[in-house]
Amino acid sequence: MNVFGSSQSSETKKNISNLEQSFSSKLDKIEHLLEEIHKSVQIQEEQTETIQLTCVQIAEHMTRGEISLQSIKESIEVQGIMSSAILDMQCVLGVNNKYMVKEMSIVDTATWTTQHWIFKNSKSIQDNKSRKTNKWLERNYHQLAIEYGDIEYEELGKILNSLKFNCIYVKGEQKKQVLMEYIPHVALINIEDLGCPRLDQICDDETLPCCIFHMEFNPKQCTFYKVFAIRKWFVNNS
């Protein structure tokens, strides 16, 4: 018996068996890895489909949203909710150079709806400078005495906040600043920024109305007259 030959043959078989087991193990690992890759690809494909579907849904919602916003906008335009007005005022002077509204008028830019007020400033504190200034204004400008008026000055804030306009045009930065103190939530626009000329250039229509008080004086110094003059320019230049 060839002892050495038998031993070599046994060793060879053992090596072959080990190799087969090793290859089998590696093959199993490769198959498992391929399965994992396949599952991962499937998951990614499903996620991609979900994302695509979500994008389509978002686009549909956006389209419906645009339609809805357009409908709201058209409804607002029809109902006139987004309204604007032109306001003018004449002031008297208080202490510390504080401007106080004496006369005020407002007119709707889309209609002829108007309101007019003359305020009593009798409770307002004055110093020597303001008294002299107000006397000069009374004699040479608006002819309105401090004590004269049909409503107390303390009602000004309540009146301004009762106005239902989204936008108010005024002529002059100082008037805009006076209003901002009471109605900062309203869009206030100095109409001079839109190119509106000086009042003496647009207050040339003798047919425009004024308040009862200024009928006896100079109608063109009346805020009621001025808002109609400014409105006329605004309509012709819009």
Side-chain angles (χ1 to χ4, degrees), residues 152-207:
E152 295 292 340
Y153 180 71
E154 288 71 23
E155 296 294 314
L156 175 62
K158 182 179 178 181
I159 290 171
L160 287 171
N161 279 280
S162 70
L163 301 175
K164 304 303 180 184
F165 296 103
N166 302 94
C167 175
I168 294 178
Y169 298 92
V170 293
K171 194 169 194 320
E173 193 62 29
Q174 286 182 334
K175 295 175 183 178
K176 177 181 174 181
Q177 294 301 320
V178 171
L179 291 178
M180 284 185 67
E181 182 179 343
Y182 295 94
I183 47 174
H185 57 282
V186 177
L188 300 171
I189 299 175
N190 181 359
I191 202 167
E192 292 176 350
D193 295 336
L194 304 181
C196 183
R198 298 193 313 269
L199 283 172
D200 61 352
Q201 294 178 309
I202 60 175
C203 292
D204 56 357
D205 190 341
E206 302 295 336
T207 64

Side-chain angles (χ1 to χ4, degrees), residues 111-171:
T111 68
W112 293 97
T113 305
T114 58
Q115 287 181 280
H116 174 262
W117 304 267
I118 297 178
F119 295 94
K120 296 178 183 178
N121 303 92
S122 53
K123 297 180 182 179
S124 302
I125 301 174
Q126 299 182 78
D127 53 22
N128 288 333
K129 179 182 178 181
S130 61
R131 271 191 290 271
K132 290 179 181 179
T133 301
N134 294 332
K135 279 295 181 182
W136 184 91
L137 290 171
E138 179 185 346
R139 288 193 302 267
N140 302 287
Y141 194 60
H142 51 58
Q143 285 82 40
L144 293 166
I146 285 289
E147 300 79 12
Y148 181 83
D150 50 27
I151 189 168
E152 295 292 340
Y153 180 71
E154 288 71 23
E155 296 294 314
L156 175 62
K158 182 179 178 181
I159 290 171
L160 287 171
N161 279 280
S162 70
L163 301 175
K164 304 303 180 184
F165 296 103
N166 302 94
C167 175
I168 294 178
Y169 298 92
V170 293
K171 194 169 194 320

Side-chain angles (χ1 to χ4, degrees), residues 29-42:
K29 290 181 179 180
I30 291 172
E31 289 178 350
H32 179 71
L33 182 61
L34 289 173
E35 288 178 1
E36 292 296 324
I37 293 172
H38 180 67
K39 289 180 181 179
S40 177
V41 170
Q42 283 184 323

Side-chain angles (χ1 to χ4, degrees), residues 8-21:
Q8 287 178 349
S9 176
S10 176
E11 187 69 25
T12 300
K13 289 180 180 180
K14 184 178 179 180
N15 289 336
I16 291 172
S17 176
N18 290 337
L19 287 172
E20 287 177 347
Q21 290 178 0

Side-chain angles (χ1 to χ4, degrees), residues 89-95 98-103 121 124-126 134 146 153 156 178:
M89 67 178 74
Q90 301 200 88
C91 294
V92 292
L93 194 65
V95 294
K98 180 178 176 62
Y99 290 100
M100 300 180 297
V101 178
K102 182 62 188 174
E103 181 190 21
N121 303 92
S124 302
I125 301 174
Q126 299 182 78
N134 294 332
I146 285 289
Y153 180 71
L156 175 62
V178 171

Side-chain angles (χ1 to χ4, degrees), residues 61-79 81-82:
H61 282 301
M62 289 177 67
T63 302
R64 287 196 293 269
E66 288 174 358
I67 294 172
S68 177
L69 288 173
Q70 182 63 27
S71 300
I72 293 171
K73 182 180 178 182
E74 291 174 355
S75 175
I76 287 173
E77 290 176 351
V78 170
Q79 296 178 27
I81 296 175
M82 295 298 290

Side-chain angles (χ1 to χ4, degrees), residues 86-88 107 169-171 175 191 196-197 199 202-203 208 223-237:
I86 293 169
L87 184 148
D88 191 55
V107 59
Y169 298 92
V170 293
K171 194 169 194 320
K175 295 175 183 178
I191 202 167
C196 183
L199 283 172
I202 60 175
C203 292
L208 296 178
T223 60
F224 200 71
Y225 176 94
K226 292 175 186 176
V227 291
F228 278 101
I230 297 170
R231 180 187 181 278
K232 180 180 178 181
W233 177 89
F234 179 83
V235 171
N236 291 337
N237 291 274

